[in-house]
Amino acid sequence: MTDTPAAGGVPTPAPAHGMFARNATGLIRGVSPRSSLIINFIPGHPAQSLAAGFFFVFALFPGGNYLVGLLLVIPLGLAMSYAFGLLTQMIPRSGGDYMLVSRVIHPMVGLISSFCMTLAGLLSNAFFGIAFVTIGLAPGLAGIGLVGHWPTLVRWSAEIQSKHWQIALGGLMMCLSAVILAGGWGWTLRIQNVLFWLVTTTLALSVLIALFTTHSTFVSNFDGFAKSIGAGNGAYEHTIKTAQAAGTNTSPAFDWGNTIAVMGFFCTFSIFSYWSTFIGGELRQASTMKTANNMAIAAVAGPVVVAICAAIFFHTFGTAFMIAANGGGTSPVAPQYFSLIAASTGSTIIAIVLFGGYILFWPLICYISFIQPTRMLFAYAFDGLLPKSVTKLSKNGSPYVAVLLALVASFITLVWAVNGSNFFQVLVYATLVQLIAMALVGLSAVVVPYRKPDVYRASTTKRMIAGIPVVAIAGAGAILTCVFVWVLYFHYPAQFFLTDKQKMFSIFGVTIALAIIYYFAVKAYRKSQGVDVDLAFAEIPPE
């Protein structure tokens, strides 16, 4: 491609960015460092971990110490944060792992990474849709109904757990999340920050109530509540005894091996504090250390807050009771923290407030998850791997076509997950396939000083430890983290729902094969149009 001939009649070369869909992405750098910190914190928000399996894991791995597990998981999160953060600082463009890996290693490897990351995102959205109903609406309605003596709500809580209701309500939640993202950053960040603080405030209220409620008071209140709804006397002890009868060890001694296993479970929510990488081209001050440091702060803050909340809940509710209630014991209410606090207080208003704040978390985390596929699709189209129409923006700067495509794909995955998979299996598959992409980003961080020295030298930090670039050390740590979690999950296949390994490897293998086929197919098609798409990958795209 050439520009208009100069006076001497010799054509001058076209600008390098002429190989892209247009001369500028049109995306707006509208995300402040404070908002990006919230974005990075949300995937590890305590509301999710404390309500979606944190206490259940101690029935699976008796004697695992949560404080040690959370402490050990922090370095893993930091390695991921600095691998992603330092690379994003060097290549501050939207597209996340696709942009980083394709520019540093090879475009085909970038496609493999983004295909794996997108599959993880779609599986995560399916998990969020199911969780919204089964560990969100259902226990919330039941708790409010029991505390307020509204049997209709209790009946609804049972009815909505059918497959059809899970698909319908989970799909509706996804639509709300897509709407949050579709309005441009001004609209999106206002809603994000309001939802974040509502969720966080109601969690804090639960923790404060638990903090100022003695253990004996909770037991007395819980037994009184159970008796008032016809669950009999001594419901607290009955919960523990029924779990023990089912084979659950409610008072295990410390076990180092199970502590490592518990740490592996914590990885499902504590090593993903890099989410702002997907909007690198929309971050303010993206080329500064604030990008990586914000990710690191979130990686540390998440486990620390979880540890504080868990310690208070264990103290008030009782360790044996929490293990029992989440490990097969018969409890009159669901063992989520908001239901237990509501039962203890006996207040319908508190039940509504706590449940209302908690349920908002699921559209919030689903919106965060939508960021990845929408920016990946946009980056594909900008590089010429998808039709240019995918880069269309609303008047507020939102890639609405990409948002719509991500919504449709997420809903299809939700239908599959509800009808053909286990609830926690979906989460484990999402974690493991995402680790493939994360390992490739780690590899990119290791080699970037050597494969892209100009990019590395232009970055704001070129610190070294023992003569090794810090970004390479972070990348090596990220790779080791991914290998560790894979090995750990396969060491405990039953506990991590990996009994059908062939199914998982088939899904992952097809995903990687499709990425490779797609690369060569698009390359051949674009070449027939006289376009060499590899030229795009030799450049950092324009803003």
Side-chain angles (χ1 to χ4, degrees), residues 119-155:
L119 175 60
L122 297 178
L123 289 170
S124 296
N125 289 344
F127 172 81
F128 300 146
I130 298 171
F132 174 70
V133 179
T134 58
I135 59 175
L137 285 175
L141 291 174
I144 295 172
L146 290 171
V147 172
H149 302 287
W150 294 332
T152 300
L153 294 184
V154 178
R155 187 181 75 251

Side-chain angles (χ1 to χ4, degrees), residues 106-188:
H106 189 273
M108 185 178 71
V109 182
L111 283 173
I112 292 173
S113 177
S114 60
F115 268 52
C116 289
M117 186 69 79
T118 300
L119 175 60
L122 297 178
L123 289 170
S124 296
N125 289 344
F127 172 81
F128 300 146
I130 298 171
F132 174 70
V133 179
T134 58
I135 59 175
L137 285 175
L141 291 174
I144 295 172
L146 290 171
V147 172
H149 302 287
W150 294 332
T152 300
L153 294 184
V154 178
R155 187 181 75 251
W156 286 355
S157 74
E159 292 175 353
I160 64 174
Q161 296 189 61
S162 68
K163 290 183 177 180
H164 290 98
W165 276 112
Q166 286 184 40
I167 292 171
L169 294 174
L172 177 61
M173 187 274 293
M174 288 180 177
C175 291
L176 293 175
S177 300
V179 169
I180 295 174
L181 191 58
W185 281 121
W187 156 274
T188 296

Side-chain angles (χ1 to χ4, degrees), residues 443-503:
L443 179 60
S444 300
V446 170
V447 303
V448 69
Y450 317 105
R451 286 188 57 83
K452 298 291 181 180
D454 292 342
V455 172
Y456 174 68
R457 286 195 295 267
S459 65
T460 56
T461 179
K462 294 172 282 294
R463 295 179 183 175
M464 294 191 176
I465 297 178
I468 304 173
V470 169
V471 64
I473 295 174
I479 295 172
L480 292 174
T481 296
C482 296
V483 172
F484 165 75
V485 177
W486 264 78
V487 170
L488 186 65
Y489 279 31
F490 274 78
H491 188 69
Y492 298 99
Q495 291 91 331
F496 287 111
F497 306 94
L498 287 174
T499 52
D500 189 357
K501 299 182 184 68
Q502 183 177 355
K503 176 182 177 181

Side-chain angles (χ1 to χ4, degrees), residues 68-406:
V68 176
L70 288 169
L71 178 65
L72 292 175
V73 87
I74 288 176
L76 309 187
L78 287 173
M80 288 295 176
S81 296
Y82 280 108
F84 275 87
L86 293 175
L87 279 175
T88 303
Q89 170 199 316
M90 296 176 196
I91 308 175
R93 300 292 185 270
S94 295
D97 63 300
Y98 163 72
M99 185 62 61
L100 304 177
V101 177
S102 66
R103 265 57 185 184
V104 175
I105 300 179
H106 189 273
M108 185 178 71
V109 182
L111 283 173
I112 292 173
S113 177
S114 60
F115 268 52
C116 289
M117 186 69 79
T118 300
L119 175 60
L122 297 178
L123 289 170
S124 296
N125 289 344
F127 172 81
F128 300 146
I130 298 171
F132 174 70
V133 179
T134 58
I135 59 175
L137 285 175
L141 291 174
I144 295 172
L146 290 171
V147 172
H149 302 287
W150 294 332
T152 300
L153 294 184
V154 178
R155 187 181 75 251
W156 286 355
S157 74
E159 292 175 353
I160 64 174
Q161 296 189 61
S162 68
K163 290 183 177 180
H164 290 98
W165 276 112
Q166 286 184 40
I167 292 171
L169 294 174
L172 177 61
M173 187 274 293
M174 288 180 177
C175 291
L176 293 175
S177 300
V179 169
I180 295 174
L181 191 58
W185 281 121
W187 156 274
T188 296
L189 293 178
R190 280 194 295 272
I191 296 178
Q192 169 196 285
N193 295 340
V194 168
L195 293 181
F196 172 79
W197 288 113
L198 285 174
V199 172
T200 303
T201 300
T202 51
L203 172 62
L205 178 60
S206 297
V207 172
L208 285 174
I209 293 174
L211 179 64
F212 291 102
T213 302
T214 65
H215 174 63
S216 59
T217 300
F218 172 77
V219 173
S220 176
N221 291 346
F222 185 82
D223 284 345
F225 163 77
K227 185 176 182 179
S228 73
I229 62 172
N233 296 318
Y236 184 90
E237 284 299 324
H238 180 70
T239 300
I240 297 174
K241 289 179 179 179
T242 53
Q244 292 172 341
T248 300
N249 185 352
T250 60
S251 300
F254 172 77
D255 187 294
W256 179 252
N258 281 349
T259 297
I260 298 300
V262 165
M263 168 193 173
F265 175 82
F266 292 163
C267 287
T268 60
F269 61 82
S270 60
I271 60 173
F272 305 104
S273 61
Y274 54 77
W275 224 249
S276 62
T277 190
F278 298 108
I279 51 172
E282 299 154 82
L283 298 175
R284 297 175 191 167
Q285 305 177 41
S287 297
T288 70
M289 276 300 295
K290 287 185 178 180
T291 299
N293 288 339
N294 271 347
M295 296 179 186
I297 290 170
V300 174
V304 168
V305 176
V306 169
I308 294 171
C309 295
I312 293 172
F313 288 149
F314 271 130
H315 174 75
T316 300
F317 302 148
T319 301
F321 174 80
M322 290 304 290
I323 293 175
N326 287 274
T330 303
S331 173
V333 293
Q336 276 92 356
Y337 65 86
F338 54 87
S339 294
L340 296 175
I341 292 293
S344 176
T345 61
S347 169
T348 305
I349 293 177
I350 288 179
I352 293 172
V353 170
L354 296 186
F355 166 66
Y358 163 74
I359 200 64
L360 294 175
F361 172 77
W362 298 107
L364 178 64
I365 184 63
C366 192
Y367 134 72
I368 291 294
S369 185
F370 269 129
I371 290 175
Q372 181 273 325
T374 58
R375 269 46 185 187
M376 180 273 292
L377 290 170
F378 185 93
Y380 274 20
F382 203 75
D383 280 349
L385 304 182
L386 282 175
K388 185 179 177 180
S389 58
V390 178
T391 66
K392 287 184 178 179
L393 302 174
S394 68
K395 63 180 181 179
N396 294 318
S398 172
Y400 65 92
V401 175
V403 171
L404 180 60
L405 291 174

